């Protein structure tokens, strides 16, 4: 059903004034051109273009307007928008997207999802690829079906992973990005976005605490790849010969990271030939932080084995618990043993925008590199990830190949603005635009208010479940906006907590409640085990539109769905 107060969104179409070629019969215009100087009124009162060959035939009385439309439709394969063929379709398409995927999809009165089993959805959706094109009407039907059966990740009650919401300004920036379709590798093809990236990334380095924002940075396709860039830079810093000579020139390299760190550290180490066995997991304490004593003992062990320790990857906001590693103590060890100090702040980096909560990341200014994903805690649209480093030019030294067909040095402008060679990608989206647009729309103060609000919600939720019978905390005092907890149904509350039967039955509660909430579409909250703990819920808060009444709803809904288990 439509969201309250939003029945239809209309897009205003502006008529383009008619222009006429000099001379008679569109002189000087090729009959094969798809755009020409003469305009006629098309359907729905919209001024439209007609291809010259068709227009000339009409003027000679050889084709009717219906036949003209047929002739134009034969060129539907052409990758060029024109008013005659696409304006009405795009207007209706964007209206549908705004109504159904933006406004209705984020209304609390509507469902987060309409669950359908995979086999049934395969039968329901028309996903087959065909030889002949669909009509515009059919394409709009497919648009509606796609929206209907997709999870509404912008819904206030989607709290399933470390992303959520449809920020209106981020959405606007995303639409503009797709309309312009840039590839950000040289100034000549992306002048605005090259400068925009440098501006935004320098400001982010300042916020991290690198002096005067010095250093370098890139936008990366996700936090995992940003962590991979950090490994690459750290390895190059220690062993520059790796670029030309490859792995045969290296001793056994070792990385250290938390046992609760994101899996991308191990995955990218494997991908880059370092090997997952050479990522030494460091034990964590009772609240999920790296144990610095174990870190130092593992560094000494690696040295004793004849390996070369070269990097520590700390985490600022672990994926599950939301723990912030002791960055200052880790920085001390990195200085002592001459190791690259990386901070994976993909999740928790947004707290840097708040004067109140940035103390969680004290010591990050001493890092060599930082991963920070604005699409997580700052709620920018997917994807928006960055790798920041204090070392100028290192990204270029590590990754550039100076391809002369793209990065020519004899261009007519300053080629320092051709920034693409420091990436391992070639073609690359302008992920910066949506984030820059949000930043300009909200200001740094708006981002601070956003962060303070989501932390306030997490703190209220924590206090509330501590006071509610049947809810138990996994971590008594959450540091980030991850709140991890068990719901214990009445049937289990009298059982001994240390019994195998209690743990086995509790382990099944969260999956069953998750199944029920998804089938009803009422909300989405994830669950998982960690170490020896049975399944528990992990509420992740990053949507600043939520308030205390929403926190109460979440608690009540979990209790409603699970009290009979």
């Amino acid at each position: 059903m439509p969201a309250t107060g939003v029945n239809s969104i209309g897009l205003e179409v502006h008529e383009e004034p008619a222009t006429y070629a000099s001379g008679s019969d569109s002189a000087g215009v090729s009959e094969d051109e798809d755009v020409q100087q003469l305009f006629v009124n098309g359907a729905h009162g919209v001024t439209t273009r007609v291809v010259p060959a068709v227009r000339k035939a009409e003027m000679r009385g050889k084709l009717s307007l219906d036949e003209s439309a047929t002739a134009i439709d034969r060129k539907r394969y052409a990758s060029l928008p024109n008013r005659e063929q696409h304006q009405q379709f795009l207007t209706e398409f964007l209206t549908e997207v705004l109504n159904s995927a933006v406004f209705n999809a984020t209304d609390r009165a509507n469902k987060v999802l309409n669950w359908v089993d995979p086999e049934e959805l395969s039968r329901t959706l028309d996903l087959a690829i065909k030889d002949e094109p669909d009509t515009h009407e059919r394409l709009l039907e497919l648009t509606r079906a796609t929206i209907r059966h997709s999870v509404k990740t912008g819904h206030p009650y989607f709290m399933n992973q470390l992303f959520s919401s449809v920020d209106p300004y981020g959405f606007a920036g995303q639409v503009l990005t797709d309309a312009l379709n840039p590839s950000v590798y040289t100034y000549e093809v992306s002048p605005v976005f090259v400068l925009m990236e440098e501006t935004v990334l320098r400001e982010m380095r300042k916020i991290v605490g690198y002096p005067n924002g010095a250093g370098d940075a890139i936008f990366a396709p996700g936090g995992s790849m940003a962590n991979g860039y950090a490994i690459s830079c750290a390895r190059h810093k220690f062993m520059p010969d790796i670029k030309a000579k490859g792995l045969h020139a290296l001793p056994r390299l070792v990385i250290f990271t938390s046992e609760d760190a994101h899996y991308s550290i191990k995955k990218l180490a494997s991908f880059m030939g370092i090997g997952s066995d050479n990522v030494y997991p460091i034990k964590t304490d009772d609240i999920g932080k790296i144990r610095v004593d174990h870190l130092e003992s593992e560094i000494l062990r690696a040295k004793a084995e004849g390996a070369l320790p070269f990097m520590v990857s700390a985490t600022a906001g672990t994926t599950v618990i939301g723990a912030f590693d002791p960055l200052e103590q880790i920085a001390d060890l990195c200085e002592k043993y001459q190791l690259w100090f990386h901070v994976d702040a993909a999740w928790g980096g947004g707290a840097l925008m708040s004067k109140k909560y940035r103390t969680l990341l004290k010591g990050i200014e001493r890092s060599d590199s930082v991963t920070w994903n604005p699409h997580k805690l700052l709620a920018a649209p997917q994807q928006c990830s960055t790798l920041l480093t204090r070392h100028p030019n290192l990204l270029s030294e590590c990754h550039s190949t100076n391809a002369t067909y793209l990065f020519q040095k004899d261009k007519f402008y300053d080629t320092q603005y051709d920034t693409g060679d420091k990436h391992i990608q070639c073609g690359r989206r302008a992920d910066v635009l949506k984030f820059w647009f949000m930043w300009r729309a909200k200001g740094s103060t708006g981002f601070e208010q956003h962060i303070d609000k989501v932390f306030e919600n997490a703190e209220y939720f924590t206090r509330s479940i501590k006071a509610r019978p049947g809810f138990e905390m996994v971590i008594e005092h959450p540091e980030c906006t991850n709140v991890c907890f068990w719901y214990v149904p009445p049937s289990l509350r009298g059982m001994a907590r240390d019994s195998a039967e209690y743990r086995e039955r509790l382990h099944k509660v969260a999956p069953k409640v998750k199944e029920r909430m998804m089938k009803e579409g009422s909300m989405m909250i994830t669950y998982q085990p960690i170490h020896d703990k049975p399944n528990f819920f992990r509420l992740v808060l990053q949507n600043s539109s939520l308030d205390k009444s929403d926190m109460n709803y979440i608690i009540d809904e979990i209790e409603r769905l699970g009290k009979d288990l």
Side-chain angles (χ1 to χ4, degrees), residues 365-425:
E365 70 280 358
R366 297 172 61 187
S367 65
D368 291 286
S369 59
V370 172
T371 291
W372 179 0
N373 288 7
H375 74 238
K376 286 185 162 55
L377 203 50
L378 292 178
Q382 290 270 27
Q383 61 194 18
C384 191
S385 305
T386 65
L387 185 280
L388 315 168
T389 177
R390 65 166 58 252
H391 301 281
N393 304 316
L394 182 59
L395 282 160
S396 292
E397 292 170 9
C398 184
H399 302 123
S400 63
T401 56
N402 299 305
T404 55
Y405 55 82
L406 189 58
F407 303 111
Q408 305 94 329
K409 300 303 181 185
D410 55 355
K411 293 181 180 180
F412 63 91
Y413 59 85
D414 186 348
T415 57
Q416 70 170 325
Y417 294 104
D418 288 355
T419 57
D421 210 13
K422 63 186 177 182
H423 294 256
I424 58 173
Q425 294 171 267

Side-chain angles (χ1 to χ4, degrees), residues 18 24 41 43 109 122 153 171 178 180 193 254 285 294 334 357 381 485 492 546:
S24 61
N41 286 328
S122 295
T153 61
F171 172 75
D178 288 339
L180 294 172
F193 302 119
V254 174
D285 61 20
H294 188 240
C334 288
Y357 294 101
F485 62 94
L492 303 185
L546 276 67

Side-chain angles (χ1 to χ4, degrees), residues 5 54 58 60 84-85 96 161 171 179 187 199 210 218 221 239 265 290 298 309 364 394 401 408 451 490 549 557 564:
V54 174
E58 286 172 5
R60 297 180 187 119
E84 176 81 16
Q85 192 167 7
E96 188 66 48
Q161 268 87 35
F171 172 75
Y187 181 82
T199 299
Y210 296 156
I218 53 175
M239 304 289 276
I265 302 299
I290 270 184
E298 288 295 274
I364 195 171
L394 182 59
T401 56
Q408 305 94 329
I451 292 296
S549 66
E557 185 67 2
D564 64 332

Side-chain angles (χ1 to χ4, degrees), residues 65-75:
L65 284 174
D66 287 342
E67 291 171 323
S68 302
T70 301
I72 291 169
D73 199 54
R74 293 193 191 107
K75 286 203 168 185

